[in-house]
């Protein structure tokens, strides 16, 4: 259970990033995990060059934000009216590009990544270490910041409006393209936070995000794609379910853990398509 | 002249909808565009706001705005209440109003929200509610309230009576009259309901398949039985 919450923290981070992009563009970004992985490598490189941890942390987030913004403006702006399939193809292309690029620049050997919180065991006999606890706290900090940003700032409101009704948003003077770019930047930055927090647990290598993104998707879908808070909850829930099932259902074991995520996605989509906390959109005419 | 339009043309793809419209809107007046379905009324409003490709000259307050983007036309003080009301259905009523003042200084917004609530008390009752749950009439009020939040110099209204019960329509046009006389907002009103529109408007243009068939003061059109019979059907 505790171990589940700890891994759940990882998925919650990732689910949060997934939901952010979904809010901005209404597509699931398959390259999200690879973008996060790439950001983590940037952080690793900065640390190798001798930057202090938190400076590297902040720099990486800044770089990822700008990177996400630029990707949206250069790659996705030209195809904004293209069919969904075009977007998916581009997502897959980005996925492959980031994956190979990271392998090319930093090679595929597995690298350790430091934790700012240390590795001391807090309680639960080493099930939850200081790093896991720090990670969970960070996830909640990000969540609260995001919530405050979307609820109480003008730009946050403008971003929600641009996603909800782009044409009306233009009619009240919102620069919709800018908002989409911002959404990408933020999602990429959150992905960077997720990647940096996850790396000490799973170690750094170009494929580190593959399964985590799947769990992240599962968490996001479970919690509801329209709800950042739901996504975080979903992430934790997926972590707990995965661990409990892996431990207590003998058939499942370690090998069948991943299909649980996929099973969850399908089950939620069939029985509660909006997720647990997703908003059912009511529309009267 | 607040708005002066010459030879306005617009098309959807290869299909021309407007074939060169000339019209003017005087400061402080209400002008209405009348015409049957498909005459090009909505297209005219969309062309003014740069939501579709257009050609010709459009001058607002003496400055050409043909090449100005939709987002920036708003900043000049032109508020568009679009066809279908353009509600942000997933956001709250109050958030919808705040969005109308997106381009204005933050400090004045709270007072203006109050002013809109005074005009539409029913919106105040529903301020925290998701806007998509409002009735059609309330959503239309919200759309007009959102437009007023801009403190517009010109308001473009696309069929505010569409799909509403007669009583609600009457209430709505009463409020529009109030806005005209007390707030001195100029309006360009597109309507199917000609009788209603002529009561509110000072001047009317009659649109027929993308050209202006007739123009004159509201009284002139109201009193011209031939026009009424052949174009307006009442």
């Amino acid at each position: 259970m505790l171990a589940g919450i700890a891994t759940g923290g990882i998925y919650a981070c990732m689910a949060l990033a997934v939901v952010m992009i979904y809010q901005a563009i209404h597509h699931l970004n398959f390259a999200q995990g690879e973008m996060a992985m790439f950001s983590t490598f940037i952080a690793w490189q900065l640390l190798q060059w001798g930057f202090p941890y938190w400076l590297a942390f902040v720099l990486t987030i800044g770089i990822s934000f700008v990177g996400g913004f630029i990707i949206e403006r250069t790659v996705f702006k030209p195809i904004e009216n293209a069919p969904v399939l075009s977007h998916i193809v581009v997502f897959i292309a980005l996925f492959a590009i980031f994956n190979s690029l990271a392998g090319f620049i930093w090679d595929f050997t597995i690298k350790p990544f430091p934790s700012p919180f240390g590795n001391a065991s807090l309680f639960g006999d080493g099930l939850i270490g200081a790093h896991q606890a720090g990670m969970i706290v960070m996830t909640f900090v990000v969540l609260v910041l995001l919530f405050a940003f979307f609820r109480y700032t003008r730009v946050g409101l403008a971003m929600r409006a641009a996603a909800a009704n782009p044409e009306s948003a233009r009619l009240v003077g919102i620069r919709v393209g800018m908002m989409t770019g911002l959404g990408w930047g933020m999602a990429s930055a959150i992905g960077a936070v997720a990647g940096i927090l996850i790396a000490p647990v799973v170690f750094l290598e170009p494929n580190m995000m593959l399964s985590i993104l799947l769990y992240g998707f599962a968490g996001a879908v479970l919690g509801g794609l329209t709800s950042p808070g739901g996504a975080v909850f979903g992430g934790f829930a997926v972590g707990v379910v995965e661990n409990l099932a892996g431990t207590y259902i003998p058939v499942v074991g370690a090998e069948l853990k991943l299909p649980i995520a996929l099973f969850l996605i399908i089950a939620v989509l069939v029985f509660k398509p909006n997720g647990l906390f997703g908003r059912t959109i009511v529309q009267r005419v | 002249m607040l708005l002066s339009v010459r030879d306005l043309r617009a098309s959807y793809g290869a299909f021309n909808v407007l074939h060169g419209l000339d019209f003017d809107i005087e400061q402080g007046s209400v002008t209405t565009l009348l015409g049957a379905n498909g005459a090009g009324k909505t297209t005219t409003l969309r062309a003014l706001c740069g939501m579709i490709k257009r050609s010709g000259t459009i001058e607002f307050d003496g400055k050409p705005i043909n090449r100005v983007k939709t987002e920036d036309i708003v900043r000049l003080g032109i508020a568009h209440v679009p066809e279908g009301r353009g509600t942000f259905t997933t956001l709250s009523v109050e958030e919808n109003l705040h969005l109308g003042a997106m381009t204005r200084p933050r400090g004045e917004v709270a007072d203006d929200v109050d002013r809109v609530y005074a005009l539409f008390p029913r919106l105040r009752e529903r301020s925290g509610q998701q806007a998509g749950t409002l009735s059609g009439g309330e959503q239309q009020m919200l759309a007009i309230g959102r437009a007023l939040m801009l403190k517009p110099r010109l308001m473009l209204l696309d069929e505010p009576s569409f799909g509403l019960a007669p009583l609600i329509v009457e209430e709505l046009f009463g409020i529009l009259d109030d806005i005209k006389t007390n707030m001195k907002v100029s309006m360009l009103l597109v309507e199917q309901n000609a009788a209603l529109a002529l009561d509110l408007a000072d001047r009317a243009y009659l649109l027929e398949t993308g050209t202006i068939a007739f123009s004159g003061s509201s009284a002139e059109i109201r009193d011209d039985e031939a026009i009424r019979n052949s174009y307006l059907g009442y």
Side-chain angles (χ1 to χ4, degrees):
Chain A
M1 181 77 185
L2 278 175
I5 290 178
T7 39
I10 301 179
Y11 307 150
C13 263
M14 211 54 223
L16 195 56
V18 166
V19 166
M20 278 298 308
I21 286 255
Y22 186 80
Q23 298 272 47
I25 58 173
H26 292 290
H27 291 310
L28 287 176
N29 180 2
F30 299 112
Q32 184 95 60
E34 302 314 285
M35 285 166 63
M37 173 275 296
F38 202 83
S39 299
T40 314
F41 265 110
I42 292 174
W44 180 82
Q45 188 64 70
L46 290 173
L47 289 172
Q48 291 297 303
W49 286 337
F51 283 83
Y53 185 90
W54 290 109
L55 180 62
F57 186 83
V58 170
L59 273 178
T60 304
I61 288 174
I63 294 169
S64 305
F65 180 87
V66 174
F69 184 82
I70 291 174
I71 288 175
E72 197 282 328
R73 295 280 77 186
T74 54
V75 181
F76 285 95
K77 170 112 206 310
I79 61 163
E80 63 184 341
N81 296 319
V84 183
L85 211 53
S86 319
H87 286 259
I88 292 176
V89 170
V90 175
F91 284 140
I92 294 171
L94 280 176
F95 181 98
I97 289 169
F98 278 117
N99 193 291
S100 341
L101 205 58
F104 174 71
I105 301 176
W106 293 290
D107 75 53
F108 285 90
T109 52
I110 295 172
K111 298 172 179 61
F113 195 90
S115 161
F117 310 111
N119 289 314
S121 169
L122 281 189
F123 51 89
D125 293 330
L127 279 179
I128 286 205
H131 178 75
Q132 271 82 358
M135 188 165 74
I136 292 168
V137 171
M138 286 287 280
T139 305
F140 278 106
V141 168
V142 171
L143 181 65
V144 168
L145 285 178
L146 270 183
F147 179 81
F149 172 78
F150 278 115
R151 171 106 335 176
Y152 299 112
T153 71
R154 232 181 188 191
V155 185
L157 179 60
M159 280 177 73
R160 283 193 290 151
N165 191 340
E167 185 163 275
S168 274
R170 261 182 213 109
L171 286 178
V172 294
I174 294 168
R175 299 185 199 284
V176 174
M178 244 356 226
M179 295 302 135
T180 314
L182 264 182
W184 269 79
M186 286 174 62
S188 167
I190 295 167
V193 174
I196 292 172
L197 291 176
I198 294 165
V201 183
V202 301
F203 300 110
L204 181 61
E205 50 117 357
N207 295 320
M208 67 184 247
M209 284 295 184
L210 216 55
S211 60
I212 288 168
L213 182 65
L214 259 183
Y215 288 118
F217 275 155
V221 170
L222 177 65
L225 283 167
T226 51
S227 156
V232 169
F233 174 84
F236 280 113
V238 169
V240 170
V241 168
E242 177 214 2
N243 259 281
L244 290 183
T247 316
Y248 294 110
I249 306 176
V251 200
V252 175
E255 292 78 17
L256 284 179
K257 270 180 168 182
L258 193 57
I260 289 178
L262 298 170
F263 176 74
L264 258 177
I265 293 180
I266 294 170
V268 171
L269 288 180
V270 168
F271 294 109
K272 200 155 186 334
N274 289 314
L276 295 178
F277 300 96
R279 190 154 14 191
T280 314
I281 290 160
V282 185
Q283 162 94 68
R284 283 167 70 173
V285 284
Chain B
M1 249 351 128
L2 184 62
L3 185 82
S4 169
V5 175
R6 294 290 170 270
D7 197 31
L8 180 66
R9 288 162 193 278
S11 54
Y12 292 108
F15 184 65
N16 292 322
V17 182
L18 303 180
H19 310 286
L21 304 186
D22 301 327
F23 63 92
D24 297 295
I25 296 173
E26 242 174 279
Q27 182 86 49
S29 75
V30 173
T31 304
T32 179
L33 278 180
L34 303 173
N37 270 333
K41 304 186 299 289
T42 295
T43 308
T44 306
L45 296 191
R46 293 174 66 87
L48 288 179
C49 282
M51 295 163 80
I52 52 167
K53 254 195 140 127
R54 67 221 159 150
S55 69
T57 46
I58 309 167
E59 283 186 359
F60 183 66
D61 220 9
K63 284 183 275 303
I65 59 167
N66 316 32
R67 307 207 164 273
V68 182
K69 276 196 277 180
T70 308
E71 299 92 299
D72 296 313
I73 284 179
V74 179
R75 288 174 168 78
L76 298 172
I78 301 182
H80 189 160
V81 180
E83 188 182 34
R85 303 162 198 142
T87 316
F88 296 95
T89 50
T90 51
L91 306 185
S92 75
V93 168
E94 184 135 341
E95 284 171 336
N96 268 268
L97 291 180
H98 276 275
L99 282 165
M102 212 64 193
T103 55
R104 295 187 37 227
R106 216 170 293 243
E108 306 163 16
V109 174
D111 285 347
D112 291 339
V113 171
D114 269 341
R115 215 160 297 148
V116 170
Y117 282 156
L119 209 54
F120 302 104
R122 255 193 288 173
L123 293 184
R124 192 196 296 274
E125 288 164 32
R126 307 198 184 287
S127 63
Q129 209 168 312
Q130 195 178 314
T133 63
L134 299 185
S135 72
E138 288 162 346
Q139 285 195 38
Q140 190 63 60
M141 292 174 188
L142 180 58
I144 293 171
R146 199 176 61 227
L148 287 176
M149 288 297 293
L150 182 70
K151 289 220 169 140
R153 304 186 54 201
L154 174 64
M155 209 154 84
L156 309 178
L157 294 154
D158 200 341
E159 291 211 36
S161 75
F162 187 80
L164 303 183
L167 266 178
I168 308 276
V169 171
E170 205 174 295
E171 185 186 344
L172 204 64
F173 272 74
I175 293 168
L176 286 178
D177 195 45
D178 196 27
I179 294 170
K180 174 193 172 187
T181 40
N182 296 329
M183 300 186 182
K184 311 272 182 249
V185 179
S186 317
M187 299 182 209
L188 177 58
L189 170 70
V190 155
E191 255 303 335
Q192 290 253 16
N193 188 335
L196 211 60
L198 287 172
D199 277 345
L200 180 67
D202 306 296
R203 201 177 164 73
Y205 290 87
L206 224 142
L207 216 53
E208 197 187 27
T209 54
T211 51
I212 286 170
F214 186 86
S215 73
S217 73
S218 295
E220 276 176 289
I221 292 188
R222 226 181 342 227
D223 297 340
D224 191 322
E225 205 165 326
I227 289 179
R228 260 185 18 215
N229 290 339
S230 49
Y231 291 108
L232 307 177
Y234 78 98

